[in-house]
PDB file of all heavy atoms in Angstrom:
ATOM      1  N   PRO A 894      37.561  82.106 260.540  1.00  0.00           N
ATOM      2  CA  PRO A 894      37.353  83.306 259.723  1.00  0.00           C
ATOM      3  C   PRO A 894      38.356  83.371 258.564  1.00  0.00           C
ATOM      4  O   PRO A 894      39.503  82.949 258.698  1.00  0.00           O
ATOM      5  CB  PRO A 894      37.603  84.457 260.716  1.00  0.00           C
ATOM      6  CG  PRO A 894      37.369  83.869 262.066  1.00  0.00           C
ATOM      7  CD  PRO A 894      37.787  82.421 261.948  1.00  0.00           C
ATOM      8  N   SER A 895      37.908  83.918 257.454  1.00  0.00           N
ATOM      9  CA  SER A 895      38.781  84.014 256.278  1.00  0.00           C
ATOM     10  C   SER A 895      39.746  85.195 256.377  1.00  0.00           C
ATOM     11  O   SER A 895      40.729  85.242 255.644  1.00  0.00           O
ATOM     12  CB  SER A 895      37.944  84.120 255.000  1.00  0.00           C
ATOM     13  OG  SER A 895      37.112  85.259 255.062  1.00  0.00           O
ATOM     14  N   VAL A 896      39.480  86.122 257.276  1.00  0.00           N
ATOM     15  CA  VAL A 896      40.378  87.255 257.496  1.00  0.00           C
ATOM     16  C   VAL A 896      41.477  86.792 258.452  1.00  0.00           C
ATOM     17  O   VAL A 896      41.187  86.305 259.550  1.00  0.00           O
ATOM     18  CB  VAL A 896      39.619  88.478 258.065  1.00  0.00           C
ATOM     19  CG1 VAL A 896      40.576  89.611 258.391  1.00  0.00           C
ATOM     20  CG2 VAL A 896      38.536  88.919 257.087  1.00  0.00           C
ATOM     21  N   TYR A 897      42.728  86.952 258.029  1.00  0.00           N
ATOM     22  CA  TYR A 897      43.871  86.402 258.771  1.00  0.00           C
ATOM     23  C   TYR A 897      43.880  86.808 260.240  1.00  0.00           C
ATOM     24  O   TYR A 897      43.997  85.956 261.124  1.00  0.00           O
ATOM     25  CB  TYR A 897      45.189  86.812 258.092  1.00  0.00           C
ATOM     26  CG  TYR A 897      46.404  86.287 258.812  1.00  0.00           C
ATOM     27  CD1 TYR A 897      46.769  84.942 258.693  1.00  0.00           C
ATOM     28  CD2 TYR A 897      47.177  87.115 259.622  1.00  0.00           C
ATOM     29  CE1 TYR A 897      47.872  84.437 259.360  1.00  0.00           C
ATOM     30  CE2 TYR A 897      48.286  86.627 260.292  1.00  0.00           C
ATOM     31  CZ  TYR A 897      48.629  85.277 260.163  1.00  0.00           C
ATOM     32  OH  TYR A 897      49.717  84.782 260.833  1.00  0.00           O
ATOM     33  N   ARG A 898      43.765  88.086 260.522  1.00  0.00           N
ATOM     34  CA  ARG A 898      43.854  88.567 261.905  1.00  0.00           C
ATOM     35  C   ARG A 898      42.731  87.996 262.772  1.00  0.00           C
ATOM     36  O   ARG A 898      42.941  87.593 263.911  1.00  0.00           O
ATOM     37  CB  ARG A 898      43.850  90.106 261.929  1.00  0.00           C
ATOM     38  CG  ARG A 898      44.048  90.685 263.289  1.00  0.00           C
ATOM     39  CD  ARG A 898      45.436  90.344 263.765  1.00  0.00           C
ATOM     40  NE  ARG A 898      45.668  91.033 265.031  1.00  0.00           N
ATOM     41  CZ  ARG A 898      46.739  90.885 265.743  1.00  0.00           C
ATOM     42  NH1 ARG A 898      47.688  90.102 265.334  1.00  0.00           N
ATOM     43  NH2 ARG A 898      46.881  91.526 266.859  1.00  0.00           N
ATOM     44  N   GLU A 899      41.523  87.942 262.214  1.00  0.00           N
ATOM     45  CA  GLU A 899      40.389  87.360 262.944  1.00  0.00           C
ATOM     46  C   GLU A 899      40.647  85.873 263.229  1.00  0.00           C
ATOM     47  O   GLU A 899      40.338  85.373 264.309  1.00  0.00           O
ATOM     48  CB  GLU A 899      39.103  87.529 262.158  1.00  0.00           C
ATOM     49  CG  GLU A 899      38.610  88.947 262.048  1.00  0.00           C
ATOM     50  CD  GLU A 899      37.398  89.089 261.138  1.00  0.00           C
ATOM     51  OE1 GLU A 899      36.687  88.088 260.899  1.00  0.00           O
ATOM     52  OE2 GLU A 899      37.162  90.215 260.654  1.00  0.00           O
ATOM     53  N   CYS A 900      41.207  85.198 262.251  1.00  0.00           N
ATOM     54  CA  CYS A 900      41.522  83.772 262.393  1.00  0.00           C
ATOM     55  C   CYS A 900      42.552  83.553 263.505  1.00  0.00           C
ATOM     56  O   CYS A 900      42.360  82.702 264.378  1.00  0.00           O
ATOM     57  CB  CYS A 900      42.033  83.216 261.068  1.00  0.00           C
ATOM     58  SG  CYS A 900      42.553  81.493 261.177  1.00  0.00           S
ATOM     59  N   THR A 901      43.641  84.313 263.460  1.00  0.00           N
ATOM     60  CA  THR A 901      44.695  84.104 264.453  1.00  0.00           C
ATOM     61  C   THR A 901      44.247  84.524 265.850  1.00  0.00           C
ATOM     62  O   THR A 901      44.650  83.901 266.843  1.00  0.00           O
ATOM     63  CB  THR A 901      45.997  84.828 264.067  1.00  0.00           C
ATOM     64  OG1 THR A 901      45.750  86.229 263.932  1.00  0.00           O
ATOM     65  CG2 THR A 901      46.575  84.256 262.775  1.00  0.00           C
ATOM     66  N   ASP A 902      43.383  85.543 265.953  1.00  0.00           N
ATOM     67  CA  ASP A 902      42.845  85.930 267.263  1.00  0.00           C
ATOM     68  C   ASP A 902      41.992  84.797 267.842  1.00  0.00           C
ATOM     69  O   ASP A 902      42.111  84.451 269.020  1.00  0.00           O
ATOM     70  CB  ASP A 902      42.004  87.212 267.162  1.00  0.00           C
ATOM     71  CG  ASP A 902      42.841  88.467 266.956  1.00  0.00           C
ATOM     72  OD1 ASP A 902      44.081  88.411 267.144  1.00  0.00           O
ATOM     73  OD2 ASP A 902      42.253  89.512 266.593  1.00  0.00           O
ATOM     74  N   GLN A 903      41.134  84.215 267.004  1.00  0.00           N
ATOM     75  CA  GLN A 903      40.300  83.097 267.446  1.00  0.00           C
ATOM     76  C   GLN A 903      41.176  81.905 267.834  1.00  0.00           C
ATOM     77  O   GLN A 903      40.955  81.272 268.864  1.00  0.00           O
ATOM     78  CB  GLN A 903      39.317  82.687 266.350  1.00  0.00           C
ATOM     79  CG  GLN A 903      38.441  81.505 266.743  1.00  0.00           C
ATOM     80  CD  GLN A 903      37.457  81.121 265.653  1.00  0.00           C
ATOM     81  OE1 GLN A 903      36.997  81.974 264.885  1.00  0.00           O
ATOM     82  NE2 GLN A 903      37.118  79.840 265.590  1.00  0.00           N
TER      83      GLN A 903
END
Side-chain angles (χ1 to χ4, degrees):
S895 59
V896 176
Y897 180 76
R898 185 66 174 176
E899 291 174 21
C900 176
T901 59
D902 287 346
Q903 179 179 329

